[in-house]
Amino acid sequence: MIIIHVDMDAFFAAVEIRDDPSLRGKPLIIGSLPNECGVVATCSYEARKYGVHSAMNIKDAYRLCPNGIYMHPHMDKYKAVSDALHVIWNSYATALESVAYDEAYLDVTERAKNFDGAREIAYEIKRRTREELGLSCSVGVAYSKSAAKTASEEKKPNGYFEILTPEAFVSLMRDRDVRALYTVGEKTAEKLHRSGIRTVRDIQERREEVVMLLGKQGQWLASLAFGIDDRPVTPYRPEDAKSIGREVTFQKDVDNYSLLKDILLLLSLSVDRRAKRVGLHGRGVSLKITYADMKSITRSQLVFSTDSPLEVYRTAARLLDNVEHRPARLIGVSIYNLSAEREPQISIDELIEEKTHRSENELSALLSSLGARYGLDFAGNLDKLFKADTLHKTIEYMRRHS
Ligand SMILES: [Mg+2]
């Protein structure tokens, strides 16, 4: 396993400073205002010099740093920057586990091949984050998630560090306080300290006691003290998985395949929207069907690009034509082989524009004939259609009226 952990430096504060350079060099505290109840969300490194830190009560922060600049967070703005960061991260990871807006684990085993490759990727991520977004991050490269997290902390801010073996992890950590181990919070640390277990070495040497004291968490810490951590990077945002898909389960089995094809158009549009939202496009389309007897099949085809929802739909429809036509319980479409959207080259701009125009026309023609078949206005309601469970309700409506 080769894992990269990326952590943005003072993320909210850094975004605000980037957008208003007059804040640079000043203690900036983002969170509640001093006259409100609440806590510090993030603060600039200048504010940290006064002892301010995140999750601190805002009144305490104000006592330490009365001359600081206090500001409410602008979550929409940070979310947009976070989406852009995920596009960068996703272009290197086969799996990406997002921990917060500003922090993620990337499994780069496949892409990097070895630690030299991973180091190059790490520096490229730092460079792109600086050049494309005007922000700095700290990056750790390691053989495991906890070692990667430890590595990215090691040289913060704007840091790079690597921990390539469990032995390197152990020699770095052995004499440190137990708090240095990932997942050891204040409470756990106090428990261990009370029993005289103060350093990582103490955990190594007194592992039975640690297990008795902390149970399951103790077992985990005992392994971690030796650098052992096999947890995989687990994507949980759909856009961080290797594919982006949408599927629908019917309340009653469907054996009308022209209805299924119509549904594929809507699912393809939905998939296309999700992909565009996160700036990804695919090079493969896959169709999934679960039949009434719960047997599932998947059929896939590589394509040049899934830039257009029509391409997704046509490919999926072709795949549908070639499967066994039995009553279906579920149908789904996904795109895979994802990568970040390419910038169209200037020389072929016009061509693309013309092609886009043509496919938009074809798409609206398809949607209006679909609408006519079911007595629905799809073209005018696309934005609403893909929200929450509206798509599912619409498809159920189509099923009942087919
Ligand atoms: Mg951070």
Side-chain angles (χ1 to χ4, degrees):
M1 255 193 328
I2 306 178
I3 313 269
I4 286 181
H5 181 259
V6 189
D7 189 10
M8 300 302 292
D9 303 323
F11 181 55
F12 296 174
V15 172
E16 298 298 346
I17 292 165
R18 178 195 72 178
D19 294 350
D20 178 2
S22 76
L23 297 169
R24 192 173 299 279
K26 296 180 181 152
L28 174 63
I29 293 122
I30 312 230
S32 304
L33 301 183
N35 59 347
E36 298 169 340
C37 289
V39 295
V40 176
T42 315
C43 58
S44 65
Y45 286 93
E46 288 77 10
R48 290 176 198 199
K49 285 179 199 148
Y50 292 84
V52 179
H53 57 78
S54 48
M56 173 181 266
N57 188 301
I58 201 74
K59 305 263 191 264
D60 294 335
Y62 188 69
R63 217 167 293 132
L64 291 168
C65 188
N67 297 321
I69 299 169
Y70 290 79
M71 192 190 278
H72 282 147
H74 298 101
M75 296 313 288
D76 288 351
K77 185 154 82 172
Y78 312 145
K79 172 73 170 67
V81 179
S82 173
D83 285 347
L85 285 168
H86 278 77
V87 172
I88 295 178
W89 300 338
N90 260 315
S91 61
Y92 304 101
T94 43
L96 186 153
E97 183 175 331
S98 175
V99 181
Y101 275 4
D102 74 317
E103 186 186 335
Y105 295 98
L106 285 57
D107 186 333
V108 297
T109 315
E110 224 170 88
R111 177 71 187 262
K113 308 272 193 292
N114 52 42
F115 285 119
D116 287 337
R119 192 175 303 129
E120 272 171 40
I121 291 175
Y123 276 103
E124 200 168 312
I125 289 172
K126 286 170 70 69
R127 179 185 59 76
R128 288 184 62 187
T129 306
R130 188 175 60 242
E131 287 174 6
E132 294 172 28
L133 297 165
L135 295 168
S136 81
C137 58
S138 296
V139 182
V141 168
Y143 65 93
S144 77
K145 279 168 74 174
S146 46
K149 167 106 180 159
T150 304
S152 76
E153 288 285 322
E154 201 59 24
K155 302 282 179 195
K156 239 177 177 327
N158 195 18
Y160 172 81
F161 195 72
E162 50 190 40
I163 302 175
L164 304 187
T165 59
E167 292 73 29
F169 179 83
V170 168
S171 69
L172 179 74
M173 303 291 278
R174 202 160 33 211
D175 297 319
R176 293 190 182 177
D177 188 279
V178 293
R179 283 189 190 85
L181 281 184
Y182 173 74
T183 71
V184 175
E186 270 316 303
K187 267 194 196 156
T188 308
E190 272 169 33
K191 253 192 210 169
L192 290 168
H193 281 195
R194 268 200 302 276
S195 306
I197 300 166
R198 301 193 159 273
T199 63
V200 173
R201 188 198 301 268
D202 292 339
I203 296 183
Q204 288 183 341
E205 286 169 359
R206 296 165 64 182
R207 46 196 307 185
E208 276 97 15
E209 265 176 273
V210 174
V211 174
M212 290 237 292
L213 206 61
L214 300 171
K216 235 186 144 100
Q217 196 204 354
Q219 281 171 4
W220 155 249
L221 288 184
S223 305
L224 206 53
F226 289 94
I228 300 161
D229 172 14
D230 298 325
R231 293 169 308 146
V233 172
T234 315
Y236 65 90
R237 308 191 328 161
E239 54 269 41
D240 298 333
K242 282 185 201 166
S243 66
I244 297 177
R246 183 118 194 213
E247 54 185 39
V248 61
T249 307
F250 304 113
Q251 280 160 26
K252 251 179 87 189
D253 302 330
V254 172
D255 57 5
N256 176 348
Y257 271 65
S258 68
L259 168 66
L260 288 181
K261 205 176 266 187
D262 288 344
I263 291 168
L264 280 184
L265 178 60
L266 298 181
L267 294 176
S268 302
L269 278 165
S270 168
V271 166
D272 177 67
R273 289 198 160 209
R274 285 190 185 177
K276 295 233 159 71
R277 188 159 53 82
V278 292
L280 294 171
H281 74 116
R283 294 181 181 281
V285 173
S286 134
L287 168 80
K288 177 181 168 191
I289 292 183
T290 303
Y291 291 114
D293 59 4
M294 297 315 282
K295 187 188 162 214
S296 279
I297 57 157
T298 315
R299 295 288 180 268
S300 305
Q301 194 184 327
L302 291 173
V303 294
F304 174 66
S305 159
T306 59
D307 279 346
S308 144
L310 268 183
E311 180 75 10
V312 179
Y313 164 66
R314 289 209 188 101
T315 311
R318 252 193 323 271
L319 293 167
L320 183 72
D321 285 336
N322 292 312
V323 301
E324 210 184 331
H325 285 195
R326 293 198 283 125
R329 173 79 41 95
L330 171 152
I331 189 164
V333 178
S334 60
I335 60 174
Y336 61 98
N337 276 355
L338 301 178
S339 54
E341 233 157 54
R342 304 149 301 152
E343 291 287 318
Q345 286 158 10
I346 300 205
S347 55
I348 54 165
D349 250 5
E350 269 174 64
L351 219 132
I352 286 175
E353 203 173 302
E354 195 196 307
K355 203 175 140 219
T356 309
H357 196 80
R358 201 167 53 228
S359 78
E360 268 168 19
N361 285 342
E362 282 177 45
L363 191 60
S364 46
L366 270 173
L367 280 172
S368 31
S369 79
L370 185 68
R373 274 205 287 293
Y374 299 95
L376 293 166
D377 174 20
F378 288 111
N381 287 302
L382 280 183
D383 284 322
K384 265 186 252 155
L385 182 63
F386 296 118
K387 275 206 183 112
D389 61 352
T390 317
L391 181 64
H392 188 256
K393 280 186 192 145
T394 308
I395 288 172
E396 273 302 315
Y397 179 90
M398 288 164 66
R399 183 184 62 76
R400 289 196 302 274
H401 293 80
S402 64

